[in-house]
Amino acid sequence: MDIDVTPLLERIESRLDRLGVPELEVLRTADLPPDLLDQLRAGKKVVPRGQRLMRLADALGTSVAYLVGLDPDAEAPAELLAEDQGNLGLLAGDEEALLLGYRRLDVSSRAALLLVVQKMAGPPADEKKRRT
């Protein structure tokens, strides 16, 4: 999900005005770079995702859903809350594709898929050694 930076900045600035808190204080509380909003305004920074986005929402006393322009009572899309591990080279392409598909499933489908994968993979390697 791509986020339009301008409305995001407007919502962040609106929360800052409503709270009467300096921008730097919120960014410090969220453990974000002090120039993040300036960089976003200049179009030089990518919108934060994952933990950074959640910390920003917490520091502003609001939800991720509100910041990205969704109904404040709605759940934020999983892809916004996910860390960019695949971009860091921590996952192979097929692993990333599986993880992204898994994140789109509801809770009961995730549980069912996990059981199928565990059944197909068999017991963990250390358990196989104990049996022999």
Side-chain angles (χ1 to χ4, degrees):
M1 174 181 189
D2 289 329
I3 303 170
D4 189 354
V5 175
T6 303
L8 172 74
L9 281 168
E10 288 172 0
R11 285 186 285 278
I12 291 171
E13 290 168 347
S14 171
R15 290 297 301 163
L16 289 168
D17 287 344
R18 181 175 290 160
L19 296 171
V21 179
E23 183 177 304
L24 287 175
E25 185 178 322
V26 168
L27 294 171
R28 192 176 315 112
T29 300
D31 194 27
L32 295 170
D35 66 340
L36 175 71
L37 297 183
D38 291 333
Q39 294 290 321
L40 287 171
R41 288 178 189 112
K44 296 179 182 177
K45 193 84 168 177
V46 176
V47 174
R49 292 185 178 274
Q51 291 294 317
R52 292 181 306 250
L53 185 59
M54 289 186 268
R55 289 193 314 260
L56 179 58
D58 285 344
L60 290 168
T62 191
S63 68
V64 170
Y66 168 77
L67 285 183
V68 299
L70 300 174
D71 179 341
D73 296 326
E75 214 172 290
E79 62 264 23
L80 289 179
L81 302 179
E83 298 297 332
D84 292 332
Q85 293 172 332
N87 295 337
L88 299 174
L90 301 177
L91 299 175
D94 60 336
E95 293 170 325
E96 188 171 351
L98 285 168
L99 183 57
L100 290 172
Y102 176 81
R103 288 179 175 156
R104 288 192 301 265
L105 298 173
D106 59 51
V107 174
S108 60
S109 296
R110 285 181 179 186
L113 179 61
L114 185 59
L115 288 174
V116 169
V117 169
Q118 288 173 335
K119 192 73 160 173
M120 289 175 69
D126 62 336
E127 190 175 316
K128 287 180 184 176
K129 289 178 186 176
R130 282 185 275 166
R131 289 184 180 178
T132 57

PDB file of all heavy atoms in Angstrom, residues 13 30 36 48 125:
ATOM      1  N   GLU A  13       0.657  16.969  11.235  1.00  0.00           N
ATOM      2  CA  GLU A  13       0.679  18.361  11.688  1.00  0.00           C
ATOM      3  C   GLU A  13      -0.583  18.731  12.453  1.00  0.00           C
ATOM      4  O   GLU A  13      -0.527  19.486  13.424  1.00  0.00           O
ATOM      5  CB  GLU A  13       0.912  19.279  10.489  1.00  0.00           C
ATOM      6  CG  GLU A  13       2.329  19.150   9.956  1.00  0.00           C
ATOM      7  CD  GLU A  13       2.550  19.808   8.609  1.00  0.00           C
ATOM      8  OE1 GLU A  13       1.565  20.169   7.927  1.00  0.00           O
ATOM      9  OE2 GLU A  13       3.727  19.958   8.232  1.00  0.00           O
ATOM     10  N   ALA A  30       9.194   9.118  19.660  1.00  0.00           N
ATOM     11  CA  ALA A  30       9.002   7.980  18.752  1.00  0.00           C
ATOM     12  C   ALA A  30      10.330   7.372  18.307  1.00  0.00           C
ATOM     13  O   ALA A  30      10.335   6.409  17.536  1.00  0.00           O
ATOM     14  CB  ALA A  30       8.200   8.431  17.534  1.00  0.00           C
ATOM     15  N   LEU A  36      12.882  14.009  10.166  1.00  0.00           N
ATOM     16  CA  LEU A  36      11.991  13.143   9.393  1.00  0.00           C
ATOM     17  C   LEU A  36      10.901  13.929   8.668  1.00  0.00           C
ATOM     18  O   LEU A  36      10.709  13.769   7.469  1.00  0.00           O
ATOM     19  CB  LEU A  36      11.346  12.078  10.291  1.00  0.00           C
ATOM     20  CG  LEU A  36      10.299  11.213   9.588  1.00  0.00           C
ATOM     21  CD1 LEU A  36      10.961  10.263   8.603  1.00  0.00           C
ATOM     22  CD2 LEU A  36       9.460  10.452  10.577  1.00  0.00           C
ATOM     23  N   PRO A  48       7.586   6.235   6.929  1.00  0.00           N
ATOM     24  CA  PRO A  48       7.957   5.152   7.840  1.00  0.00           C
ATOM     25  C   PRO A  48       6.938   4.016   7.808  1.00  0.00           C
ATOM     26  O   PRO A  48       5.754   4.236   7.564  1.00  0.00           O
ATOM     27  CB  PRO A  48       7.993   5.819   9.214  1.00  0.00           C
ATOM     28  CG  PRO A  48       7.380   7.151   9.065  1.00  0.00           C
ATOM     29  CD  PRO A  48       7.308   7.473   7.615  1.00  0.00           C
ATOM     30  N   ALA A 125      14.711 -31.191  12.866  1.00  0.00           N
ATOM     31  CA  ALA A 125      15.900 -32.010  12.738  1.00  0.00           C
ATOM     32  C   ALA A 125      16.365 -32.580  14.082  1.00  0.00           C
ATOM     33  O   ALA A 125      16.736 -33.748  14.167  1.00  0.00           O
ATOM     34  CB  ALA A 125      17.032 -31.205  12.104  1.00  0.00           C
TER      35      ALA A 125
END
